[in-house]
Amino acid sequence: MVDERISRLVEVAKMYYQLDYSQQEIAKRLGISRPTVSRLLMQAIQEGVVQIKICDPAEDVQELAMQIKDKFQLKHCIVAPIPDYKDELIKEKLGEVSADYVYSIVQSGDTIGITWGTTLFQLVKKLQPKNVKDVSIVQLNGGVSYSESNTYASEIINGLANAFHTTPHFLPVPAVVDHIVVKQAIVADRHVKKILELGKQANIAIFTVGELGEQSTLMHAGYFLDSDIEILRSNKTVGDICSRFIDIDGHISHEALNDRTIGIELSQLPEKEYGILIAGGNTKIDGIFGALRGQLANVLITDQYTAKALLD
């Protein structure tokens, strides 16, 4: 008797939920009343024959964020839901979410250091002005004189300064030079030294991950010798943070190249009150993982596809 009753519940449930019959159609086919069909469907739910699961994307990304935060011992993690795993969509959404986060944490008297790149440009585009005082904005790493894609360095620094009603401090030098003696001469300049010291003192650092390969802005800029590229690849480089290249453990992967790089030292990033890494996309996964493993950031803002890959 029990089996017959359960069979009837299963039959009605399949017709309604799988075959998409209306309750009236089911009643007609089974020779019962429509209220009886409604009652059987309710019983199917109550007795576990039918289990309804509501997939809330917001809840999913919150769970991912908590898992990432715990795994890498972060201060904060924000996972942004995106409809499709495409670079432009990722950058636009991360920029939007990051702008809200930066707006929420910045207070009067803060010093904000920031790098350059298309993702950070999206942040500045979405950032709303905030009524704060005595905020300093400083560029954390040198720029590039030539790039096939715009790095938006000046737009990012100026945009951030405008949002917080202050004057920006640029680092108008190359990210990488040919010889260490050239770097030593540049950083000895008192104006450059002042900017580098301000970056070191920044309590908020905002940066992204650059990739090694055909899409690398630094490689396109022509800063690297063939021997540099060979060493970076042989040392299993996964990306760059502030123009300094790292391996999967977050360690410098090319010491000689690092010695020719101008900007904040990676050893200074873990000291920040907020070290905010903003990045997502399939080509950035290893670089993000390396940065987190090396504890170069204590805040991560990424997308749900990248977050799942980091957990895997």
Side-chain angles (χ1 to χ4, degrees):
M1 186 68 180
V2 175
D3 290 343
E4 289 181 7
R5 187 176 66 81
I6 295 298
S7 295
R8 174 52 66 95
L9 294 179
V10 171
E11 181 182 22
V12 171
K14 284 184 175 181
M15 293 175 73
Y16 186 71
Y17 290 105
Q18 293 182 345
L19 301 178
D20 204 26
Y21 290 154
S22 68
Q23 293 187 18
Q24 190 63 46
E25 288 173 327
I26 296 171
K28 184 176 180 181
R29 285 175 175 270
L30 299 181
I32 55 180
S33 67
R34 194 199 60 76
T36 299
V37 173
S38 180
R39 179 175 55 81
L40 291 172
L41 289 171
M42 184 60 70
Q43 286 180 3
I45 294 172
Q46 292 171 344
E47 298 188 26
V49 173
V50 171
Q51 297 180 359
I52 297 176
K53 181 180 179 182
I54 299 174
C55 296
D56 183 351
E59 287 185 2
D60 183 45
V61 295
Q62 288 170 10
E63 177 62 27
L64 284 172
M66 286 300 299
Q67 291 179 29
I68 293 283
K69 180 183 176 184
D70 291 343
K71 179 173 182 175
F72 295 102
Q73 299 180 328
L74 302 176
K75 175 181 286 190
H76 296 131
C77 179
I78 300 173
V79 177
I82 56 168
D84 198 0
Y85 205 34
K86 293 181 179 178
D87 280 348
E88 290 307 313
L89 285 174
I90 294 170
K91 290 175 181 178
E92 186 174 343
K93 186 63 177 178
L94 293 188
E96 179 184 323
V97 172
S98 301
D100 290 341
Y101 181 77
V102 170
Y103 181 93
S104 72
I105 66 169
V106 171
Q107 301 177 23
S108 295
D110 283 339
T111 298
I112 307 169
I114 193 166
T115 61
W116 37 259
T118 51
T119 302
L120 301 186
F121 179 56
Q122 290 296 326
L123 181 163
V124 171
K125 284 173 62 177
K126 303 291 195 315
L127 186 61
Q128 296 298 312
K130 187 172 183 178
N131 188 22
V132 289
K133 297 179 180 179
D134 302 322
V135 171
S136 296
I137 307 296
V138 60
Q139 184 176 337
L140 290 178
N141 58 326
V144 295
S145 57
Y146 165 76
S147 174
E148 293 181 1
S149 60
N150 196 342
T151 64
Y152 300 101
S154 61
E155 291 92 336
I156 290 167
I157 303 296
N158 279 321
L160 207 60
N162 289 336
F164 298 121
H165 316 291
T166 188
T167 302
H169 298 272
F170 289 93
L171 186 60
V173 298
V176 182
V177 293
D178 284 344
H179 302 284
I180 189 170
V181 291
V182 176
K183 174 188 170 178
Q184 289 169 341
I186 291 173
V187 300
D189 178 86
R190 61 188 176 92
H191 299 291
V192 174
K193 187 181 294 185
K194 180 181 177 181
I195 300 301
L196 291 173
E197 183 61 28
L198 191 61
K200 181 179 178 180
Q201 294 173 358
N203 64 306
I204 299 173
I206 305 171
F207 49 93
T208 187
V209 173
E211 57 194 272
L212 182 68
E214 294 182 0
Q215 301 303 315
S216 171
T217 300
L218 290 172
M219 289 184 72
H220 278 299
Y223 287 144
F224 301 156
L225 307 172
D226 290 342
S227 58
D228 289 328
I229 298 172
E230 185 178 337
I231 292 171
L232 287 169
R233 288 177 173 158
S234 64
N235 289 344
K236 299 181 179 178
T237 301
V238 295
D240 78 272
I241 301 289
C242 302
S243 303
R244 299 184 185 273
F245 286 87
I246 60 171
D247 61 21
I248 199 69
D249 293 313
H251 301 145
I252 294 296
S253 61
H254 187 339
E255 290 291 350
L257 179 62
N258 190 60
D259 289 341
R260 291 158 35 209
T261 302
I262 302 174
I264 191 169
E265 297 285 347
L266 294 191
S267 60
Q268 296 166 359
L269 291 178
E271 302 170 1
K272 303 303 180 187
E273 180 183 2
Y274 295 94
I276 307 169
L277 172 56
I278 306 166
N282 188 52
T283 59
K284 304 291 183 77
I285 293 168
D286 287 347
I288 297 169
F289 187 87
L292 296 181
R293 196 167 188 179
Q295 298 183 320
L296 302 178
N298 59 19
V299 176
L300 174 67
I301 301 177
T302 191
D303 63 88
Q304 81 267 31
Y305 298 105
T306 304
K308 289 175 181 175
L310 290 170
L311 289 172
D312 291 341

